[in-house]
Amino acid sequence: MITLITPELKDNIIKDLLSPGTMYVQCNINETAKEQDTSSDIIEAILDQFEELGLLRQTKLIGGKINIYINANLHDLYNQGGFKAQEVLLRENINKLGLEIELLSKQLSPDLLEKANKLACIGSSIISALSLFKS
């Protein structure tokens, strides 16, 4: 079975981190992995990404425990809908781009139409690629 890192999984981890209502939590990645039905490696990778994004700082301890210091950025991300909202917004913006390019191509002179068609093709490719990542 392949376990994917999804926006929903990331949002669930954020919710767990914020649920105590403090700016410091201690996490056991083995327990969190069981709760989220995934592996501890996946949890660790997500926490590492959160740290790279400036959402938290972490100190890894022996036995799968991690001291986590939460930054206000994590609260902001969660209040704005989390990673799932970012994914939805990206999809909507790409779809809007495709519609705008399509409209533009109908209004262009023939010499610019070829360039617009190339842009439309790129937009369609992006939309097709994103559909592969639907969760």
Side-chain angles (χ1 to χ4, degrees):
M1 179 177 117
I2 297 175
T3 302
L4 297 177
I5 297 175
T6 63
E8 292 85 357
L9 177 57
K10 290 179 185 181
D11 289 344
N12 286 342
I13 292 171
I14 291 172
K15 185 177 179 181
D16 286 349
L17 291 173
L18 296 178
S19 65
T22 64
M23 298 301 281
Y24 164 81
V25 293
Q26 188 175 75
C27 169
N28 183 311
I29 60 172
N30 299 314
E31 291 174 10
T32 302
K34 286 180 187 175
E35 292 168 6
Q36 298 296 332
D37 194 29
T38 190
S39 70
S40 59
D41 291 342
I42 297 286
I43 300 299
E44 187 172 11
I46 291 170
L47 291 173
D48 289 346
Q49 182 188 41
F50 288 177
E51 185 170 37
E52 289 170 14
L53 293 171
L55 303 174
L56 55 81
R57 288 180 296 116
Q58 60 180 334
T59 303
K60 296 178 183 181
L61 307 171
I62 296 173
K65 291 184 179 177
I66 301 177
N67 289 338
I68 298 173
Y69 306 91
I70 297 169
N71 293 334
N73 295 338
L74 188 67
H75 288 263
D76 291 343
L77 177 64
Y78 188 73
N79 286 329
Q80 295 167 0
F83 286 97
K84 184 61 181 173
Q86 286 183 345
E87 178 188 46
V88 168
L89 184 60
L90 175 64
R91 288 179 194 274
E92 288 175 359
N93 283 334
I94 290 174
N95 283 328
K96 183 179 177 183
L97 174 65
L99 294 172
E100 290 292 332
I101 291 172
E102 186 179 324
L103 179 63
L104 181 63
S105 70
K106 293 177 182 176
Q107 299 172 349
L108 290 176
S109 60
D111 59 322
L112 295 176
L113 189 57
E114 183 179 337
K115 289 182 182 182
N117 284 334
K118 285 181 184 178
L119 289 173
C121 183
I122 292 169
S124 294
S125 296
I126 292 170
I127 292 168
S128 295
L130 281 177
S131 68
L132 297 174
F133 298 106
K134 280 188 177 176
S135 43

